[in-house]
Amino acid sequence: LGPPIAATERGAVETSPPIQFLALPDGRRLAWRAYGDPKGKAVLVVHQGLGCSIMPRGTDALARDLGLRLLCPDRPGAGRSDIRTDYSYEAVGRDFADLCRDQGLAEVQVAAFMSGAPFALVAARELGPIASRVLLASARPSGQTLETERDKGHAVVLFRRRTGIGLLAVLWG
């Protein structure tokens, strides 16, 4: 099995694939990394909070072993992606969908962690039928929000109302 792997930030940075940049339609740059098998089953990974494209040490080898190609973007304003002045679930979700379209993916699964869930849902909606499945792990709202009249019918508000904060995982697809 080999020696144990120490999960340190430095170790993750040192072993992560090189950062890449996508020029978005509005001129901004979206930073991202690709882990695993370049010809593997595509998975868009949407991180929680202010995380970035750096995954834990060993992710590249494990994804390769599993036949996966993980696309891990930095959210606008986090990591090396340019800031988005009109930051919203919809805007960021469109950026992530642009990344998948730029890569010419015929099919992609979407995986999100915690507060990354709303961005992932919007990206999947933008991608339409090429988003074959969505996995939301420990999905939760990013903070206390009040519903307004404008929120009625909003996909993320409806999702939160119907699933509750204690959601552990949902497969949609």
Side-chain angles (χ1 to χ4, degrees):
L1 293 175
I5 296 173
T8 64
E9 184 177 340
R10 182 175 155 203
V13 171
E14 290 173 351
T15 60
S16 66
I19 193 123
Q20 301 179 58
F21 295 94
L22 169 65
L24 293 163
D26 64 3
R28 290 177 305 107
R29 292 183 327 159
L30 182 71
W32 65 286
R33 296 176 197 271
Y35 292 81
D37 180 356
K39 296 183 192 280
K41 182 179 278 192
V43 180
L44 173 66
V45 178
V46 182
H47 59 76
Q48 65 165 342
L50 294 176
C52 66
S53 60
I54 296 175
M55 300 292 284
R57 193 167 128 191
T59 298
D60 191 50
L62 180 59
R64 192 175 308 278
D65 289 349
L66 295 172
L68 299 174
R69 176 184 182 207
L70 307 180
L71 305 174
C72 303
D74 288 351
R75 209 169 289 150
R80 294 195 183 158
S81 287
D82 292 342
I83 292 172
R84 182 173 194 117
T85 56
D86 62 337
Y87 194 91
S88 67
Y89 296 134
E90 289 78 12
V92 174
R94 282 193 304 273
D95 287 351
F96 293 170
D98 284 343
L99 171 62
C100 294
R101 285 191 285 267
D102 177 75
Q103 293 300 297
L105 302 177
E107 180 180 350
V108 63
Q109 295 185 28
V110 181
F113 301 92
M114 301 173 79
S115 57
F119 302 102
L121 288 171
V122 173
R125 183 183 68 205
E126 289 286 323
L127 290 166
I130 73 164
S132 62
R133 184 167 296 215
V134 176
L135 168 67
L136 305 177
S138 191
R140 64 183 170 100
S142 55
Q144 192 70 8
T145 56
L146 298 173
E147 284 187 38
T148 65
E149 189 63 31
R150 193 181 80 166
D151 293 332
K152 288 185 179 177
H154 189 281
V156 175
V157 173
L158 292 174
F159 170 77
R160 287 181 180 165
R161 188 182 309 133
R162 291 178 181 155
T163 59
I165 294 174
L167 179 69
L168 295 179
V170 170
L171 288 174
W172 173 60

